[in-house]
Amino acid sequence: MVTTTLRKFVYPCWKPSIENEGENSSTRGGDPGGRVDGLWWYKDSGHHVNGEFSMAVIQANNVLEDQCQLESGPLSLADTGPQGTFVGIYDGHAGPEAARFINDRLFENLKKFTSEDQGMSADVISKAYLATEEEFLSLVRKQWLIKPHIASVGSCCLVGIICNGMLYIANAGDSRAVLGREEGDLKEVKAIQWSSEHNANLESVREELRSLHPDDPQVVVLKHKVWRVKGIIQVSRSIGDAYLKRAEFNREPLLPKFRTPGTFEKPILLAEPSVLAHRLLPSDQFLIFASDGLWEHLSNQEAVDIVNSCPRHGIARKLVKAALQEAAKKREMRYSDLKKIDRGVRRHFHDDITVVVLFLDSHLISRSSFHGPVISIKGGGHPGDSIT
């Protein structure tokens, strides 16, 4: 039986279209690379090595700070190296530069270390994160005097990799990966969260910060009922945020609101991800990767119910739309009115939201050889652009 909560989300799935969203969309780089329609970027459907996928981004900030990518095919530089699927969700803050940089460099670094280690592993993924971090901090150092704001720019970084029947989930920040798994005689699809989150509102994260910085009683501060690292930022891990990684950037000409009192010898924030590995089961149906803008409005199970109950085509947009409907409801307004609000002002109602849904075909996952085209999609607009 469909519950009242579920019905409000899945009822629109039986309609023939998504309220005509995208009918007049323009293409950026052709349809294979996704479409732009107003504040939306989306790729409604496609095929990756291990099944089908759907992607969507909605902009709320003046400049889009979310970026994402899907790569399907070779996961190393060697012709004989492993094949698979790579998904990245990059939720930027204080600006788009770090998220865009990660979108350009992280997968390339992953392929390099996969080649060097001759295989995929949690260690390879961590090396790719840390190499991307060092590259971005080098860029900050070069631009520091002419563009000091770049020292305050950072990005959460969520990655999912399917390779040789294994699922690797790596996360630094508070984006989230949720697995939909079929369980029980009734074949119900249950939500399983696979990512570890690094947000100071979690007690375990505050304990980790205090243990790493025992001499700093202000490493986490409760400010306006929200826990923040140094009273500034909620996430405890990221790529970028140089001003909380290297003391050399915690000074003028950086704006005072980003500077912390005194100095520090070791990074306050970490770039190293939490990495989980899982051998995929035939009962594993799909994965939802999303920035925290989605999870502010939908629970894990609500998101899984929507994906499980709706057609695959355009399902990422359907998830984003469900979150927007909830955001409107919380502000006692209609979704149709929320859609009229432009970027910038829109941020008062919801964050940039990025969603990638990967459907898992157990037959394809168990196949050792690669068949099909190489896919490379970067969502959310090109460097230098915002979605308009």
Side-chain angles (χ1 to χ4, degrees), residues 313-350:
H313 184 86
I315 192 60
R317 264 199 294 163
K318 179 65 67 176
L319 281 171
V320 175
K321 182 181 173 184
L324 297 181
Q325 289 171 324
E326 285 299 293
K329 183 179 176 182
K330 289 174 183 176
R331 299 297 289 270
E332 299 183 340
M333 64 189 301
R334 294 175 298 183
Y335 172 63
S336 58
D337 292 328
L338 177 62
K339 289 199 296 182
K340 298 173 186 175
I341 299 174
D342 202 0
R343 57 182 179 164
V345 178
R346 180 78 80 99
R347 183 61 183 88
H348 296 291
F349 298 85
H350 66 85

Side-chain angles (χ1 to χ4, degrees), residues 131-150:
T132 305
E133 161 88 343
E134 287 305 312
E135 289 175 353
F136 186 72
L137 293 184
S138 294
L139 177 67
V140 171
R141 189 171 289 108
K142 290 175 183 176
Q143 298 187 359
W144 161 245
L145 291 177
I146 59 172
K147 190 181 178 181
H149 175 69
I150 198 170

Side-chain angles (χ1 to χ4, degrees), residues 171-234:
N171 194 41
D174 57 5
S175 296
R176 188 181 302 174
V178 174
L179 173 71
R181 175 181 290 168
E182 201 171 67
E183 292 184 350
D185 295 336
L186 298 177
K187 302 294 185 181
E188 293 181 289
V189 178
K190 299 294 186 182
I192 301 173
Q193 184 172 325
W194 273 108
S195 55
S196 298
E197 292 177 24
H198 310 108
N199 188 303
N201 280 318
L202 298 173
E203 186 177 354
S204 59
V205 172
R206 296 196 297 275
E207 290 176 354
E208 178 184 57
L209 285 163
R210 287 167 181 148
S211 67
L212 290 172
H213 306 277
D215 299 327
D216 185 356
Q218 299 296 309
V219 69
V220 282
V221 178
L222 187 62
K223 200 171 183 180
H224 305 302
K225 299 182 180 180
V226 176
W227 287 99
R228 296 182 182 274
V229 182
K230 301 301 291 183
I232 299 172
I233 189 170
Q234 284 185 261

Side-chain angles (χ1 to χ4, degrees), residues 264-332:
F264 51 88
E265 294 183 0
K266 60 182 179 179
I268 297 169
L269 303 189
L270 300 177
E272 187 171 357
S274 296
V275 185
L276 298 175
H278 160 68
R279 181 158 294 281
L280 288 167
L281 306 172
S283 55
D284 295 338
Q285 302 296 300
F286 53 82
L287 288 154
I288 304 169
F289 300 89
S291 56
D292 70 318
L294 182 83
W295 308 112
E296 287 175 10
H297 304 293
L298 296 180
S299 70
N300 293 350
Q301 191 61 51
E302 283 172 340
V304 164
D305 288 342
I306 292 170
V307 175
N308 187 50
S309 304
C310 295
R312 291 185 174 188
H313 184 86
I315 192 60
R317 264 199 294 163
K318 179 65 67 176
L319 281 171
V320 175
K321 182 181 173 184
L324 297 181
Q325 289 171 324
E326 285 299 293
K329 183 179 176 182
K330 289 174 183 176
R331 299 297 289 270
E332 299 183 340

Side-chain angles (χ1 to χ4, degrees), residues 67 69 86-93 98-99 101-103 105-107 125 128-130 132-133 154-160 169-177 195-198 235 237-241 270-275 289-292:
Q67 299 284 303
Q69 71 184 119
F86 172 101
V87 170
I89 303 284
Y90 315 127
D91 181 0
H93 46 260
F101 187 90
I102 299 166
N103 217 7
R105 294 298 306 148
L106 180 60
F107 183 62
I125 299 168
Y129 268 67
L130 295 177
T132 305
E133 161 88 343
S155 180
C156 299
C157 186
L158 170 66
V159 162
I169 300 291
N171 194 41
D174 57 5
S175 296
R176 188 181 302 174
S195 55
S196 298
E197 292 177 24
H198 310 108
V235 295
R237 300 195 191 194
S238 68
I239 289 178
D241 294 302
L270 300 177
E272 187 171 357
S274 296
V275 185
F289 300 89
S291 56
D292 70 318

Side-chain angles (χ1 to χ4, degrees), residues 25 28 35 68 96 160 180 183 268 311 385:
S25 59
R28 181 176 289 168
R35 290 177 176 266
C68 65
E183 292 184 350
I268 297 169
D385 297 338

